[in-house]
């Protein structure tokens, strides 16, 4: 018998498994991927935040991974942590959530707590998950405690992990709310009780919409400050000295990852389909942030023009192709769009990333392990992601021309976004 079954063993589900095992719970992981299941049972991690040694500790604590959904039959709690990408019409694609429900539904027993952690639009838990689980399990509302708890995993964050990040939990009846609160209290330091599932679902969307809009603000400002010949990075530094009323956001080549480019669109889509009008802040932020790769390429073109060189035939080296520093995660990375645009213009595109051995972008070439030698050969080097392994001062000295999209350089030789 398991205390917990975690459905979906990726960047969200696996950290939950690890913390639950550390808390002394008996945990089973359920995933549709045979590769993931076999790898975990053999002690191999496939996510940045967990090492093979940590997976080994999970196994030693009794963890096992499986693709057999019947494992939920003896579980006290089931937490669904599957992906929710965007669909073709810009709304959330709930195929994985619905598939997970179809898998576990027939095996649920009376009183088994089910929690959805997958990010989605407000109303999903009550309007999609509950009817599906009740139909498949044959259980009534009083027999099926259901809650929502938004994931707050920040891959690569050395300070905040699952345990010390407050956990929001919402359910639509008091008994289910208490079950969910008591469950998470075993695993995390702080549980924050929401009024209901819709409020808990909306909290995650507000968090990421806030970041999305503010990143778009500085991404738009950095363009015209460049035209005005004002150092916007210095402007940010100065504004950041104010101890109240200001939080610094920095521009970049675009937004990436599993949250910011996607989550705000769930809310925008919900508002448009249910209320009939748009969420203009999100739509404008999406337009600005998604245009940043093209702006980076335009800056590369201008720098080559200053050298009396065409983009076609020039070597452009991209440093760092992951969506955030010091991890291997490439989901929604703006580097992909930058590379494709440069290739379309005829550039010879090389890349270097200490965390990415193979980058699936046809036409790009992996640079030598000696990053400074590669920088020295390139006509233009673009710092897309600042990994800790990169010595920015050395890069600046070695490069014939360096475009810094992360504001990390301090010398006069580099060009900052």
């Amino acid at each position: 018998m398991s205390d917990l079954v975690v459905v979906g063993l990726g960047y969200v589900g696996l950290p939950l498994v690890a913390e639950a095992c550390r808390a002394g719970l008996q945990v089973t992981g359920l995933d549709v991927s045979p590769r993931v299941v076999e790898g975990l049972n053999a002690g191999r991690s496939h996510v940045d935040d967990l090492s093979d040694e940590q997976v080994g500790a999970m196994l030693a604590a009794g963890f096992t991974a499986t693709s057999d959904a019947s494992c939920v039959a003896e579980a006290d709690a089931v937490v669904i942590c599957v992906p929710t990408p965007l669909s073709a019409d810009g709304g959330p694609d709930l195929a994985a959530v619905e598939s997970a429900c179809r898998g576990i539904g027939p095996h649920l027993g009376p009183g088994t707590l089910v929690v959805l952690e997958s990010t989605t639009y407000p109303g999903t838990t009550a309007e999609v998950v509950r009817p599906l689980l009740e139909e498949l399990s044959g259980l009534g509302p009083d027999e099926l405690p259901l809650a929502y708890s938004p994931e707050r995993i920040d891959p690569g964050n050395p300070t905040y992990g699952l345990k010390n990040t407050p956990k929001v939990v919402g359910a639509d009846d008091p008994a289910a709310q208490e079950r969910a609160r008591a469950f998470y209290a075993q695993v995390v330091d702080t549980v924050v009780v929401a009024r209901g599932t819709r409020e808990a679902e909306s909290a995650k969307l507000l968090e990421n919409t806030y970041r999305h809009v503010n990143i778009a603000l500085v991404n738009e400002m950095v363009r015209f400050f460049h035209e005005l010949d004002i150092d916007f990075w210095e402007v940010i530094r100065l504004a950041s000295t104010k101890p109240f009323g200001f939080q610094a956001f920095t521009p970049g080549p675009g937004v990436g990852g599993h949250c910011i480019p996607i989550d705000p669109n769930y809310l925008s889509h919900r508002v448009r389909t249910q209320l009939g009008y748009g969420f203009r802040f999100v739509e404008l932020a999406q337009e600005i942030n998604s245009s940043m790769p093209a702006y980076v390429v335009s800056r590369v073109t201008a720098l080559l023009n200053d050298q009396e060189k065409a983009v076609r035939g020039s070597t452009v080296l991209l440093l760092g192709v992951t969506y955030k520093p010091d991890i291997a995660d490439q989901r929604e990375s703006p580097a992909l769009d930058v590379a494709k645009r440069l290739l379309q213009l005829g550039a010879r595109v090389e890349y270097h990333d200490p965390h990415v051995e193979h980058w699936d972008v046809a036409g790009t070439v992996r640079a030598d392990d000696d990053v400074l030698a590669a920088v020295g050969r390139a006509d233009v080097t673009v710092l897309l992601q600042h990994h800790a392994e990169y010595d920015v001062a050395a890069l600046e000295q070695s490069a014939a021309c360096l475009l810094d999209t992360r504001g990390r350089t301090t010398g006069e030789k580099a060009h900052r976004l």
Side-chain angles (χ1 to χ4, degrees):
M1 181 172 182
S2 294
D3 297 312
L4 170 65
V5 172
V6 176
V7 185
L9 301 175
Y11 284 84
V12 176
L14 214 52
L16 175 58
V17 170
E19 285 298 341
C21 287
R22 278 192 282 267
L25 301 184
Q26 186 67 37
V27 186
T28 300
L30 177 62
D31 200 284
V32 296
S33 169
R35 179 186 60 82
V36 168
V37 169
E38 292 169 9
L40 289 172
N41 285 333
R44 297 191 301 272
S45 175
H46 58 282
V47 303
D48 288 298
D49 283 348
L50 288 176
S51 65
D52 291 349
E53 290 75 16
Q54 288 171 302
V55 173
M58 289 157 45
L59 294 171
F63 168 71
T64 184
T66 182
S67 294
D68 183 359
S70 66
C71 65
V72 307
E74 301 297 323
D76 289 332
V78 179
V79 179
I80 300 172
C81 305
V82 296
T84 45
L86 291 179
S87 62
D89 66 354
D93 182 351
L94 297 181
V97 171
E98 293 174 349
S99 178
C101 290
R102 291 190 182 95
I104 67 173
H107 304 287
L108 291 173
T112 301
L113 171 69
V114 178
V115 184
L116 177 65
E117 285 204 6
S118 305
T119 305
T120 185
Y121 62 83
T124 301
T125 306
E127 299 167 16
V128 178
V129 174
R130 176 170 287 285
L132 195 52
L133 290 181
E134 288 182 0
E135 176 188 354
L136 292 166
S137 67
L139 301 174
D142 294 339
E143 300 174 292
L144 183 59
L146 180 64
Y148 182 82
S149 180
E151 60 91 0
R152 283 174 160 175
I153 299 297
D154 185 17
N157 191 319
T159 304
Y160 290 104
L162 178 67
K163 182 172 174 58
N164 65 347
T165 300
K167 200 80 171 79
V168 172
V169 178
D172 294 326
D173 70 84
Q177 183 70 280
E178 177 54 27
R179 280 287 306 280
R181 185 207 63 77
F183 163 70
Y184 280 109
Q186 302 174 86
V187 180
V188 302
D189 295 338
T190 305
V191 178
V192 181
V193 175
R195 183 174 182 176
T197 56
R198 288 174 176 82
E199 287 77 12
E201 290 163 335
S202 300
K204 176 62 183 295
L205 301 184
L206 174 59
E207 293 167 15
N208 285 327
T209 299
Y210 170 79
R211 295 181 64 198
H212 190 41
V213 168
N214 280 282
I215 291 170
L217 172 66
V218 293
N219 274 340
E220 184 167 36
M221 292 180 76
V222 76
R223 300 190 198 189
F224 62 71
F225 272 102
H226 174 69
E227 296 297 324
L228 294 171
D229 196 25
I230 297 172
D231 187 343
F232 187 54
W233 300 94
E234 174 71 357
V235 173
I236 294 172
R237 183 185 73 83
L238 297 172
S240 299
T241 62
K242 186 179 181 182
F244 55 89
F246 180 80
Q247 180 179 351
F249 285 82
T250 56
V255 293
H258 63 302
C259 289
I260 297 178
I262 297 174
D263 296 358
N265 292 293
Y266 298 162
L267 189 54
S268 178
H269 184 269
R270 183 66 162 175
V271 169
R272 185 170 294 281
T273 55
Q274 186 166 332
L275 302 180
Y277 52 83
F279 186 179
R280 289 178 292 170
F281 265 115
V282 164
E283 292 165 0
L284 181 58
Q286 184 68 23
E287 178 185 333
I288 293 169
N289 288 334
S290 63
S291 71
M292 288 306 291
Y295 177 69
V296 170
V297 172
S298 74
R299 290 288 300 275
V300 170
T301 302
L303 290 172
L304 286 169
N305 188 59
D306 289 343
Q307 302 174 52
E308 299 183 349
K309 294 180 180 179
V311 178
R312 184 173 300 278
S314 293
T315 298
V316 180
L317 173 65
L318 306 180
L319 297 182
V321 297
T322 59
Y323 87 89
K324 66 182 299 186
D326 304 325
I327 65 172
D329 195 343
Q330 303 165 45
R331 287 176 294 174
E332 306 297 328
S333 172
L336 175 65
D337 197 10
V338 171
K340 288 182 175 179
R341 289 175 179 273
L342 287 169
L343 289 167
Q344 288 171 354
L345 293 174
R348 183 178 189 274
V349 179
E350 297 186 358
Y351 78 93
H352 180 278
D353 194 305
H355 300 276
V356 179
E357 186 173 349
H358 301 290
W359 196 33
D360 189 21
V361 182
T364 61
V365 177
R366 179 173 172 80
D368 298 332
D369 290 336
D370 185 348
V371 64
L372 294 183
V375 167
R377 291 195 311 270
D379 295 296
V380 176
T381 298
V382 185
L383 181 63
L384 292 176
Q385 195 53 263
H386 179 239
H387 294 305
E389 291 90 340
Y390 289 148
D391 181 340
V392 175
L395 295 175
E396 187 173 357
Q397 289 303 311
S398 300
C401 181
L402 175 64
L403 175 61
D404 171 15
T405 72
R406 297 294 178 176
R408 297 292 180 168
T409 52
T410 57
E412 297 298 322
K413 188 178 178 183
H415 304 267
R416 295 198 286 184
L417 191 66

